[in-house]
């Protein structure tokens, strides 16, 4: 899947009805879009040329010409990569014909979530967040449900490098430690939808107290991303019914690993000693 497809799917709900018509036409005619002039595209999709330009700008391009140029390049690269089936990405569990289908579907969804999330990362943002965390008085982590499990993973990683990290899976405890957050602290919020009520309440409280806000959330516009100073986006297949967070959790864990590795890489002289000592201490209990 190209980066432009990822952007289109991720931002679809935030588009106007007319722009959604463009998005649907674009996704259904991806391989032929760059052959048609804007007038032809407008006629075929049933919208004006202005709407096409607005759609391109909503994806971060100056216009159709720039989007086409990027699309050609990305399609060429995509053809060179090993194809990963996407028709079975974490769908409603009722559609699977059997366990073999489940195995293939989970594999495909995981690989696609990893690839698409990696494609949309901005190295400059990762480095900036890592720098803010390294300099923070404390790093306070927030997340509910499956997002809380991802927050907990980052919490354990930060403890290993002797940073003052704070996290608890209990929502009421999270409400407690947000009250003492300060301008020198970093608050990292995890929410795939970016619309979790408790997380938004906590993020607003952090904003009122002038803390640095980092959001790990799905790519595109959402209330959490709008509150954040930095956004580390994720991309994963969407579905209405599932037994629990699957690809979204994998995507968020990937972001955590990227962030933590960047943090260690940029501050190696500082973190190498606590990393080594924690490994040595734990290794005594390995059989």
């Amino acid at each position: 899947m190209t980066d432009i497809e990822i952007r289109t799917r991720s931002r679809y709900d935030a588009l106007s009805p007319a722009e959604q018509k463009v998005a649907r036409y674009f996704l259904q005619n991806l391989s032929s879009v760059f052959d048609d002039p804007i007038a032809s595209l407008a006629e075929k999709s049933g919208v004006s040329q202005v709407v096409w330009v607005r759609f391109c700008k909503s994806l971060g391009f100056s216009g159709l010409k720039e989007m086409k140029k990027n699309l050609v390049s990305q399609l060429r690269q995509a053809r060179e990569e090993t194809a990963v089936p996407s028709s079975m990405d974490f769908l409603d569990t009722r559609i699977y014909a059997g366990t073999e289908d489940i195995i293939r579907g989970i594999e495909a969804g995981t690989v696609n979530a990893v690839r698409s999330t990696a494609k949309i990362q901005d190295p400059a943002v990762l480095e900036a967040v890592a720098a803010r965390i390294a300099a923070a008085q404390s790093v306070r982590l927030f997340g509910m449900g499956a997002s809380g499990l991802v927050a907990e993973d980052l919490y354990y990683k930060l403890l290993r490098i002797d940073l003052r990290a704070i996290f608890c899976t209990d929502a009421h405890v999270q409400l407690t430690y947000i009250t003492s957050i300060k301008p020198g602290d970093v608050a990292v919020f995890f929410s795939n939808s970016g619309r979790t009520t408790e997380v938004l309440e906590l993020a607003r409280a952090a904003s009122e107290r002038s803390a640095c806000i980092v959001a790990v959330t799905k790519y595109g516009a959402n209330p959490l991303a709008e509150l954040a100073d930095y956004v580390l986006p994720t991309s994963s297949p969407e579905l209405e019914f599932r037994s629990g967070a699957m690809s979204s959790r994998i995507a968020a864990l990937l972001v955590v690993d990227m962030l933590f590795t960047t943090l260690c890489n940029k501050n190696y002289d500082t973190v190498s000693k606590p990393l080594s000592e924690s490994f040595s201490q734990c290794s005594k209990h390995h059989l």
Side-chain angles (χ1 to χ4, degrees):
M1 187 180 295
T2 65
D3 175 61
I4 299 176
E5 288 175 273
I6 295 169
R7 294 191 207 181
T8 302
R9 294 176 187 275
S10 299
R11 292 190 55 83
Y12 184 83
D13 290 340
L15 300 174
S16 69
E19 290 169 342
Q20 288 180 350
K21 288 184 68 175
V22 173
R24 289 194 296 271
Y25 181 87
F26 172 73
L27 292 172
Q28 292 167 4
N29 300 274
L30 190 67
S31 61
S32 61
V33 163
F34 51 83
D35 291 326
D36 290 334
I38 190 169
S40 177
L41 290 172
E43 181 180 356
K44 290 179 179 179
S45 58
V47 298
S48 69
Q49 296 181 35
V50 173
V51 176
W52 268 91
V53 174
R54 286 207 310 265
F55 168 72
C56 294
K57 289 185 175 180
S58 73
L59 299 183
F61 301 106
S62 60
L64 183 61
K65 183 177 181 180
E66 184 184 7
M67 188 183 77
K68 284 184 176 182
K69 181 179 179 181
N70 279 266
L71 179 60
V72 171
S73 175
Q74 290 181 27
L75 286 172
R76 184 182 300 115
Q77 181 180 353
R79 283 194 294 269
E80 294 171 355
E81 295 177 349
T82 301
V84 177
S86 60
S87 59
M88 301 178 66
D89 292 355
F90 295 160
L91 300 173
D92 185 336
T93 55
R94 291 174 299 179
I95 64 94
Y96 293 114
T99 305
E100 290 185 3
D101 284 348
I102 291 172
I103 293 170
R104 289 196 297 272
I106 300 302
E107 177 195 18
T110 298
V111 172
N112 285 331
V114 168
R115 284 185 174 175
S116 59
T117 295
K119 282 183 178 180
I120 58 177
Q121 295 310 307
D122 184 338
V125 175
L126 275 169
E127 291 178 10
V129 173
R132 294 297 296 265
I133 288 176
Q137 295 177 20
S138 72
V139 183
R140 308 193 181 201
L141 310 173
F142 304 89
M144 306 295 156
S147 292
L149 297 176
V150 182
E152 189 172 41
D153 183 66
L154 179 57
Y155 171 62
Y156 290 147
K157 284 178 165 62
L158 295 179
L159 288 181
R160 287 200 63 198
I161 57 176
D162 199 26
L163 289 183
R164 189 184 175 202
I166 301 172
F167 177 69
C168 180
T169 55
D170 189 288
H172 289 172
V173 176
Q174 292 184 36
L175 288 167
T176 299
Y177 61 74
I178 194 65
T179 60
S180 60
I181 200 165
K182 301 177 181 64
D185 298 327
V186 172
V188 186
F189 296 90
F190 294 84
S191 172
N192 179 57
S193 68
R195 301 178 185 277
T196 307
T197 302
E198 296 90 341
V199 171
L200 290 176
E201 179 182 347
L202 291 161
R204 293 187 188 101
S207 179
E208 291 169 0
R209 291 164 174 79
S210 301
C212 173
I213 300 176
V214 179
V216 179
T217 186
K218 69 177 180 179
Y219 182 87
N222 63 59
L224 180 59
E226 292 171 2
L227 286 167
D229 298 297
Y230 302 96
V231 177
L232 298 175
T234 61
S235 176
S236 58
E238 297 290 341
L239 69 159
E240 293 299 324
F241 304 102
R242 59 186 179 185
S243 58
M246 295 183 184
S247 61
S248 61
R249 185 190 70 247
I250 295 296
L253 285 169
L254 176 68
V255 170
V256 164
D257 287 347
M258 290 176 173
L259 175 60
F260 181 71
T261 305
T262 301
L263 177 61
C264 292
N265 177 263
K266 300 299 180 183
N267 301 274
Y268 186 77
D269 291 341
T270 303
V271 306
S272 58
K273 183 178 179 182
L275 270 176
S276 176
E277 290 178 346
S278 64
F279 174 79
S280 177
Q281 187 67 33
C282 291
S283 64
K284 297 174 184 178
H285 300 274
H286 294 167
L287 298 179

